Amino acid sequence: MLSNSPLDIFKQFYSTCLVIFSVVIVTALMFTENTKVANDAHPVVALVVMWLGILWMSMVEGGQCSMVGLPPIDRELYKESHKITYQICSLGHKGDNLDRYLMGRQFMVIFINFTISLCGSPLEGASVLGLPQWVSDIFLGSGIAMVLTNVNIGQLTAQVNASHCMLDYINTHFMTFTLYCTLLIEMTGFMHVCYLIRDCFYFAAGKPIVTNEPPRSAAKAFFHWGRVLFSTVVLCFSLAVTLEALFKGQTTMWDFIPNWAAVIIFFVLLSLVGLLEAMQIAFFAVSKFKKEDRGDHPMARRTCNLLFKGEGRNLPGFMVGRQVTVTLIFFVAARVTTLNIKIGEDENIFGVSDGLQEFFNLGFLGAIITTILASISWQLVASAFPIAFLSNPFVYIMLNVVLAIEATGICAASWFFGTIHKKIAGFQLDEVYVGTAEEREAGGKPDTSMHPGRDFSIGTVLVAPKNWEEAIKNLESVPETFSQRRERILSNIKKMKDMMADASEEEKGAYAAGIQAEVKYLEQLNEEEESEASPAPMKDVEAV
């Protein structure tokens, strides 16, 4: 949460102004047919598809927070209050469906980003509203206008609220639809080569692959490995088509960039996305380590010292800056990898049919390559070898770059939008419905892990308050929290209940009065917390 200091208020103000300005010029681009979709189809089509994409992105991003954060909580506690959430979690947390959801969701995030980019990113030389050239270069040429619109409205705002309002956020059939879409994407097998990569790295790390499902039957094993083979072939074919188009200059890459340079940029972008995706996994892995367990390599130590120095605010700062950076790279990657072959005029790649070429032009191949090679694979490596990964000097350099981006306050508008969204939607903290972890344990419904001993490592951004709290504990003591105050109250109640067992009737009355007073104090504490509640601070945001 941003403080009320003049600097933070200024950051929210200017960030909000930038987002509004970005929305205006992106809309102007579309209605002057200066984006690919607006030019090829119609400005209204581009406008509608872009906002539907941003809306869906908000559910995908916020939904991940809920899907990963809710498994430890007994579903019976919210079966009646949140019936849709209960149905979603019953399916999404069955067997290994959460892994399948995360795999499909990762592709969906990248594909939606690619689609939004085609709708709102400017064509070469586009200019609108008579803006000075330097303004057009900053907001249009760099793609920053599209990034600010998507990140602040479609991603961070959702994460702000879904961080602590998980039950309310997915209590809608929009999330039901999203869940089925992700499971369907995973079932197609396009991403199954990631399972092979995962198995290889976990084998190399000597870690067992934890599953909630029985061993596969011969038929299921054949189906699984068949899809792994299919996914490998699709990946290789996607690379071949994309590289062929890059060498021939048949993508939406800027015209002034030579073909050979476009190929180099393509691999550099994949590496940057992979580095940022892996950094989040490694950072949150070491956040659970004691200082002395964070490796002996000087660069790993230096990186951890910067990440956790002071009050540890650089960890959430990295997550915010990383979101902006990754989204910007996604938009550039979409321009680099999306084919731009005019059907009937240009020669089709590898002589394929016009129908298949039209499919290639949609950008699916670039999304597949980015998902597998620049996202999931790097996350799996960092998950298996976090300390070794932090020893890379490029990690330290990139951490400084990302923290500098976050310090500008360019995404501070997400807190403002989050406040508005929360009030309109009527979101409440999860504790209002199911209590805190301590209260659930006192009531005989303790939290449990559906995957003991493992962390979820596939994703873009997700909430991990436990990781954040442990990172802080490894640095210094923290002020007493609402949860700690609750723990004292519940401890008092438990002690008085235990003493009532052997007490006289008169003593039982005194104990009962004491328990009633503690319960009243607990209710007041809940009201106090709710009155002070605001959208979840970005320091609680993590990526899986």
Side-chain angles (χ1 to χ4, degrees):
M1 180 192 314
L2 290 182
S3 66
N4 291 322
S5 69
L7 178 59
D8 287 334
I9 292 175
F10 172 72
K11 285 182 178 180
Q12 289 192 63
F13 173 75
Y14 99 80
S15 177
T16 302
C17 291
L18 285 178
V19 172
I20 295 173
F21 177 68
S22 297
V23 171
V24 171
I25 62 176
V26 168
T27 304
L29 275 174
M30 289 184 282
F31 279 93
T32 54
E33 298 185 356
N34 275 311
T35 72
K36 181 173 175 57
V37 175
N39 185 57
D40 294 346
H42 192 276
V44 174
V45 174
L47 182 69
V48 172
V49 172
M50 185 192 78
W51 282 108
L52 286 178
I54 291 176
L55 177 63
W56 202 0
M57 179 69 79
S58 69
M59 180 52 66
V60 171
E61 293 288 5
Q64 181 188 220
C65 296
S66 299
M67 292 299 291
V68 177
L70 289 174
I73 301 175
D74 190 329
R75 289 195 294 272
E76 296 300 317
L77 292 175
Y78 53 85
K79 181 177 181 179
E80 296 300 326
S81 63
H82 295 75
K83 294 183 179 180
I84 298 177
T85 300
Y86 177 83
Q87 294 170 356
I88 290 171
C89 291
S90 296
L91 173 61
H93 298 157
K94 179 181 179 181
D96 289 336
N97 278 352
L98 184 55
D99 290 324
R100 299 184 179 100
Y101 161 78
L102 292 171
M103 184 76 74
R105 174 214 159 272
Q106 189 69 11
F107 174 82
M108 184 178 288
V109 166
I110 294 174
F111 180 71
I112 292 175
N113 271 320
F114 274 44
T115 303
I116 292 173
S117 175
L118 293 176
C119 292
S121 293
L123 297 175
E124 184 70 22
S127 180
V128 294
L129 303 178
L131 296 174
Q133 188 59 43
W134 65 271
V135 176
S136 295
D137 290 341
I138 293 175
F139 285 91
L140 300 180
S142 67
I144 194 66
M146 197 64 256
V147 172
L148 290 175
T149 301
N150 187 35
V151 170
N152 279 287
I153 300 176
Q155 295 179 306
L156 293 181
T157 296
Q159 294 159 15
V160 160
N161 284 325
S163 296
H164 293 308
C165 306
M166 302 179 190
L167 291 170
D168 281 344
Y169 200 92
I170 64 171
N171 195 43
T172 166
H173 284 303
F174 189 15
M175 181 59 198
T176 305
F177 173 72
T178 301
L179 173 61
Y180 277 109
C181 286
T182 58
L183 294 178
L184 180 62
I185 290 171
E186 191 277 341
M187 187 175 66
T188 63
F190 282 102
M191 304 292 111
H192 266 54
V193 68
C194 294
Y195 290 125
L196 176 61
I197 297 173
R198 177 201 65 182
D199 293 351
C200 290
F201 280 111
Y202 272 75
F203 176 79
K207 296 182 179 181
I209 299 173
V210 181
T211 178
N212 282 335
E213 296 180 351
R216 300 186 187 97
S217 63
K220 288 184 177 180
F222 177 80
F223 185 52
H224 171 78
W225 291 109
R227 285 182 290 174
V228 170
L229 178 61
F230 165 73
S231 177
T232 304
V233 172
V234 168
L235 174 61
C236 293
F237 181 74
S238 299
L239 278 169
V241 170
T242 301
L243 290 174
E244 176 75 6
L246 284 171
F247 278 117
K248 290 185 175 181
Q250 293 179 316
T251 71
T252 54
M253 189 64 167
W254 292 281
D255 293 337
F256 66 85
I257 296 180
N259 295 343
W260 61 268
V263 175
I264 295 175
I265 292 173
F266 168 66
F267 286 106
V268 170
L269 291 175
L270 292 182
S271 300
L272 288 176
V273 171
L275 184 65
L276 289 167
E277 293 283 12
M279 285 170 68
Q280 63 172 336
I281 301 302
F283 288 169
F284 277 93
V286 299
S287 73
K288 297 181 237 180
F289 296 172
K290 296 179 180 178
K291 285 185 177 181
E292 58 269 23
D293 296 331
R294 290 174 181 165
D296 298 324
H297 194 284
M299 188 55 67
R301 288 283 187 180
R302 191 175 182 183
T303 300
C304 290
N305 289 339
L306 174 60
L307 189 66
F308 300 115
K309 75 174 184 178
E311 297 181 347
R313 294 297 188 263
N314 281 348
L315 179 57
F318 162 78
M319 296 308 300
V320 176
R322 173 202 158 277
Q323 186 73 60
V324 180
T325 309
V326 167
T327 303
L328 176 59
I329 295 174
F330 279 161
F331 283 140
V332 177
R335 178 180 285 273
V336 174
T337 60
T338 300
L339 275 62
N340 186 27
I341 295 177
K342 296 180 180 179
I343 306 300
E345 297 182 19
D346 299 332
E347 181 182 354
N348 294 346
I349 293 291
F350 298 146
V352 299
S353 65
D354 289 348
L356 188 56
Q357 185 60 62
E358 287 181 353
F359 175 77
F360 290 169
N361 289 351
L362 293 176
F364 276 100
L365 302 186
I368 290 173
I369 295 171
T370 307
T371 302
I372 297 174
L373 296 184
S375 185
I376 297 175
S377 298
W378 285 68
Q379 292 173 4
L380 294 173
V381 174
S383 178
F385 308 101
I387 298 299
F389 183 81
L390 293 183
S391 302
N392 185 341
F394 287 106
V395 171
Y396 181 75
I397 295 172
M398 204 64 192
L399 173 60
N400 280 276
V401 172
V402 170
L403 289 176
I405 293 173
E406 187 275 336
T408 64
I410 198 169
C411 284
S414 57
W415 278 283
F416 174 68
F417 295 140
T419 301
I420 297 174
H421 182 205
K422 183 180 180 181
K423 289 183 178 180
I424 293 176
F427 292 149
Q428 296 193 78
L429 298 177
D430 295 326
E431 287 78 5
V432 173
Y433 304 107
V434 296
T436 64
E438 294 81 5
E439 291 168 347
R440 293 192 291 271
E441 184 174 8
K445 297 284 188 179
D447 292 352
T448 58
S449 173
M450 62 182 293
H451 289 287
R454 69 156 283 189
D455 297 315
F456 296 104
S457 58
I458 301 175
T460 301
V461 178
L462 65 111
V463 178
K466 177 181 177 183
N467 293 352
W468 170 244
E469 290 169 3
E470 295 214 8
I472 294 297
K473 288 178 182 177
N474 288 339
L475 297 166
E476 60 179 357
S477 59
V478 295
E480 187 178 46
T481 64
F482 283 108
S483 295
Q484 290 170 331
R485 291 163 64 184
R486 281 194 187 88
E487 189 174 356
R488 287 207 318 272
I489 298 173
L490 294 171
S491 177
N492 292 339
I493 293 175
K494 186 177 184 302
K495 289 178 181 178
M496 285 188 283
K497 285 184 176 180
D498 291 341
M499 289 186 288
M500 283 180 67
D502 301 321
S504 64
E505 291 300 322
E506 183 177 352
E507 291 173 334
K508 287 181 179 180
Y511 286 135
I515 292 173
Q516 187 175 5
E518 293 288 347
V519 170
K520 185 175 181 180
Y521 180 46
L522 183 63
E523 293 174 349
Q524 293 174 347
L525 186 63
N526 286 336
E527 293 176 358
E528 179 184 349
E529 181 179 21
E530 181 63 22
S531 66
E532 295 182 6
S534 61
M538 297 311 299
K539 69 180 182 182
D540 286 339
V541 178
E542 176 200 348
V544 182

